[in-house]
Amino acid sequence: MPDDYSYINTRVRIMRTKLLDGRALDSALASGSYAEFLRVLTETDLAANLRETTGEGAGLGELDKALSRNFYDTSQRVLGFADGDAKREIQTLLMKWDLVNLKTVARGIAGNRGVEAIQGGLIEGGTLKPAALQAAAASTDLPSAAAAIAVSGHPLAKAMRDGAAAYSSSNRLLDLEVALDQGYYRYALGVSRNTSLRRYLTREIDVTNALIARTQKGQTLDPSLFVAGGSLDAAGYSRLAGGDAGGNSDIAAILEAPSLEEAEVAARGTLDRAARNSSAGDPEGVGIIVDFLRRKEIEIAKLRLIARGKFYDLSTEQIRKEVQA
Amino acid sequence: MAGQISPTRSAMLASKASLKTAQSGADLLKRKRDALIGEFFALVKDALAAREELSGVSTGAYTSLFGAKAWDTPEAVESLSLAGSGDYSIDMQIDNLYGVKVPRIEIPERDKTTTFSPINVGARTIQAATDFGGVMDGIVKVAATETKLRRIGEEIKKTSRRVNALEQVLIPGIQDDIRFIRSVLDQREREASFTLKKIKAKLEADAKKDKELLQAKNHGSAAD
């Protein structure tokens, strides 16, 4: 398996050509019903994942699973092209799904939801070994779950252990989740060295901090939610509460958005631009992959939106407005 | 009823007293029913407003959820539902409204602090979580007004049934009893008066006979 990005990026560039373009999304949008929308999808590369969606009694749940499966399969395929440092860098991008899984396990255990409910909520994406996840889900308490993850040697095991300790002392799930999120960014920044991935992560951290400030508008910012590693320091973060974006127009757009939805649209636009810049500025590095995975995520999100619109029989204009947001 | 009652003057007095009580009871119940109907219609307005509010916040919440599941993935959004304990405490007191026990529910101030980390969670999801907090408040408000409405409605029905029972069954029954007792007493009075007349006539006839006998006897002794 080659450890250089020229090979990986060649493969990823080919995969990028198979992403649904504007015309394909338009024909999906123009479909007159949910059934017709599914038929349009079966004419694309997504067809292989859509078998369950047309069965009797199948609905949005089946389509959501199919689309998620397509996304996770695609990301695993990209990961399969890589080795060494490149693999570690790509893994950091997929660890977002590990975070979701670890939070699901933690929430399930803390809320006494039972093994079945936890296992039913786990997703098949990410880099955690399924056996480790199953063992963690079957644990009776959080320290045991953290120990089960640690056995797998996963990079987020330490964050999970810290989170479990934080939960034990405060009994607040929020502390555990924040420890996991902070641990993820610490690890990702450490792995990303001085590459376009680091620049993208820096941007993502800025957007995250700005979105937290926008969400908590009118309240005192919780300093424990500050994610270090972006262009802002802790003092800059606390100034976000007063609307001071520190001269950063992207952060200002998020802070000044009249609603949370519009703040998210601004945040999404910033991240899309950051991913495209990564790709353009780092054609021989991880930037192409950052951009591809971002595009794939957006493609799946847009298909979910169109599917929901068609399923609930919304007007094409309404769906288009939401998709273009 | 009339067949079981003894047709005496004291029974009639007792029936008349019962009739008076039943009539004033029916009157009171009618007034209670009218007051409850007034409360009911005043509350209908609140209930409709609460329903409308719930419908509005639900539309917003489901739209947020619609976007959240699309942009942040259904898996990540559903994972959040495992976090909450599902406990929702409310402050409920029981009020007495014209003898009807109705709940008075105070909706608690919503805790605006998040129970999950907002890092790596989309704004749509946070918005959906906030909106569904509003839906919970709306459901409690609707439950409070509609429970009150249902209790009052049931009480109106019960009171109407009681009024009808008094007006259609009990009061006519007592009136029948009174009519029956009165007719029996009248009949007895007529019989007594007839008997007395008969006795009087007999006594008068006897007296006349005695007088004639006495006169005949006096006339005979004078001739001797």
Side-chain angles (χ1 to χ4, degrees):
Chain A
M1 204 71 69
D3 187 7
D4 66 284
Y5 274 111
S6 55
Y7 167 75
I8 305 165
N9 286 348
T10 306
R11 301 289 303 260
V12 170
R13 278 194 188 97
I14 294 167
M15 288 169 80
R16 200 165 73 177
T17 60
K18 291 179 181 168
L19 288 174
L20 297 186
D21 56 6
R23 197 184 299 167
L25 284 176
D26 271 347
S27 53
L29 256 172
S31 48
S33 64
Y34 179 67
E36 198 185 327
F37 166 75
L38 288 180
R39 191 191 55 72
V40 170
L41 281 194
T42 52
E43 290 166 6
T44 65
D45 285 342
L46 290 151
N49 297 99
L50 294 175
R51 268 181 229 114
E52 307 287 315
T53 60
T54 48
E56 202 181 336
L60 274 181
E62 283 71 22
L63 182 68
D64 279 337
K65 273 186 200 149
L67 292 176
S68 297
R69 176 104 306 278
N70 180 269
F71 177 71
Y72 302 136
D73 286 351
T74 307
S75 53
Q76 287 301 326
R77 223 176 128 207
V78 172
L79 187 64
F81 300 146
D83 204 357
D85 285 344
K87 187 169 190 170
R88 262 197 301 281
E89 283 177 341
I90 297 168
Q91 273 177 332
T92 57
L93 291 168
L94 307 190
M95 271 183 206
K96 282 277 173 72
W97 305 110
D98 293 332
L99 269 180
V100 174
N101 276 336
L102 290 176
K103 285 178 185 175
T104 301
V105 168
R107 287 165 185 157
I109 292 173
N112 283 322
R113 300 288 176 170
V115 185
E116 276 181 31
I118 300 172
Q119 287 179 346
L122 294 176
I123 51 180
E124 292 165 37
T127 61
L128 264 163
K129 287 177 189 147
L133 262 179
Q134 300 291 335
S139 306
T140 50
D141 54 33
L142 289 169
S144 316
I149 299 298
V151 169
S152 70
H154 193 272
L156 291 179
K158 186 184 176 306
M160 182 72 175
R161 212 170 38 240
D162 293 346
Y167 179 79
S168 310
S169 58
S170 70
N171 209 29
R172 289 196 323 162
L173 207 51
L174 173 70
D175 295 336
L176 184 148
E177 292 188 16
V178 169
L180 273 174
D181 287 323
Q182 307 268 24
Y184 164 73
Y185 279 115
R186 263 197 307 277
Y187 174 76
L189 287 168
V191 167
S192 61
R193 297 169 294 170
N194 196 20
T195 60
S196 57
L197 175 62
R198 191 178 185 92
R199 286 192 292 282
Y200 177 78
L201 284 171
T202 306
R203 209 87 198 104
E204 187 179 297
I205 291 169
D206 283 345
V207 165
T208 300
N209 283 327
L211 270 177
I212 293 169
R214 177 62 190 79
T215 311
Q216 300 188 344
K217 198 176 185 176
Q219 301 169 46
T220 317
L221 278 185
D222 181 351
S224 70
L225 298 180
F226 168 64
V227 184
S231 64
L232 294 170
D233 56 8
Y237 171 73
S238 61
R239 280 197 298 274
L240 290 178
D244 179 2
N248 187 322
S249 59
D250 290 332
I251 293 179
I254 295 169
L255 291 181
E256 288 158 15
S259 66
L260 271 183
E261 281 87 356
E262 283 166 82
E264 195 181 74
V265 171
R268 207 181 305 133
T270 303
L271 289 178
D272 287 346
R273 274 195 304 280
R276 277 200 300 273
N277 290 343
S278 295
S279 172
D282 187 19
E284 298 304 319
V286 71
I288 298 278
I289 296 151
V290 170
D291 184 44
F292 171 72
L293 289 176
R294 175 94 194 143
R295 282 171 194 258
K296 183 73 193 168
E297 207 179 332
I298 297 292
E299 172 199 78
I300 297 292
K302 285 184 173 176
L303 288 176
R304 282 200 187 102
L305 272 177
I306 298 171
R308 279 169 169 71
K310 296 295 168 193
F311 192 81
Y312 294 117
D313 209 17
L314 300 186
S315 74
T316 305
E317 269 323 295
Q318 256 179 297
I319 309 169
R320 191 186 300 277
K321 200 174 147 196
E322 189 70 28
V323 169
Q324 286 171 350
Chain B
M1 201 160 189
Q4 292 165 352
I5 198 154
S6 55
T8 60
R9 198 159 289 279
S10 62
M12 188 162 81
L13 287 173
S15 293
K16 278 185 175 171
S18 298
L19 180 65
K20 206 174 163 191
T21 311
Q23 279 169 337
S24 65
D27 195 43
L28 267 174
L29 285 173
K30 270 189 210 166
R31 276 191 278 163
K32 178 185 174 180
R33 186 184 59 189
D34 291 346
L36 284 174
I37 288 172
E39 285 288 337
F40 185 86
F41 281 110
L43 209 61
V44 162
K45 222 185 271 176
D46 290 348
L48 287 175
R51 271 270 162 200
E52 215 165 291
E53 193 186 323
L54 176 63
S55 163
V57 291
S58 298
T59 308
Y62 279 100
T63 309
S64 301
L65 187 64
F66 180 107
K69 280 195 163 184
W71 289 114
D72 297 340
T73 78
E75 295 92 342
V77 175
E78 279 157 24
S79 166
L80 285 169
S81 67
L82 294 173
S85 65
D87 291 343
Y88 184 84
S89 35
I90 49 164
D91 179 17
M92 188 171 84
Q93 282 172 337
I94 302 294
D95 280 350
N96 195 336
L97 190 75
Y98 302 107
V100 191
K101 301 264 189 287
V102 290
R104 180 158 51 87
I105 299 174
E106 301 284 336
I107 296 167
E109 182 92 2
R110 216 172 331 134
D111 188 5
K112 284 184 179 161
T113 55
T114 49
T115 52
F116 55 85
S117 163
I119 308 166
N120 283 320
V121 173
R124 295 275 186 150
T125 305
I126 294 171
Q127 184 67 53
T130 314
D131 289 350
F132 272 97
V135 171
M136 277 298 284
D137 291 351
I139 288 172
V140 172
K141 215 184 263 181
V142 166
T145 50
E146 290 191 357
T147 305
K148 212 167 164 182
L149 208 61
R150 206 186 62 235
R151 292 261 167 92
I152 294 174
E154 279 166 4
E155 192 63 21
I156 290 172
K157 248 163 66 181
K158 214 191 285 176
T159 312
S160 293
R161 272 203 304 272
R162 283 180 182 157
V163 170
N164 284 343
L166 283 173
E167 286 188 339
Q168 312 295 327
V169 182
L170 194 70
I171 292 175
I174 299 172
Q175 283 169 338
D176 281 351
D177 288 350
I178 292 171
R179 261 196 301 275
F180 167 71
I181 297 168
R182 188 172 286 145
S183 71
V184 170
L185 289 179
D186 285 352
Q187 181 66 26
R188 273 189 201 153
E189 208 175 306
R190 277 195 297 278
E191 281 172 10
S193 134
F194 180 78
T195 311
L196 286 173
K197 273 183 190 167
K198 278 279 183 193
I199 293 167
K200 190 184 171 193
K202 197 165 184 328
L203 286 174
E204 279 173 354
D206 286 350
K208 197 179 171 187
K209 216 172 172 183
D210 287 347
K211 202 177 169 187
E212 279 172 359
L213 209 68
L214 194 66
Q215 273 177 352
K217 209 183 261 178
N218 287 342
H219 191 68
S221 58
D224 286 341

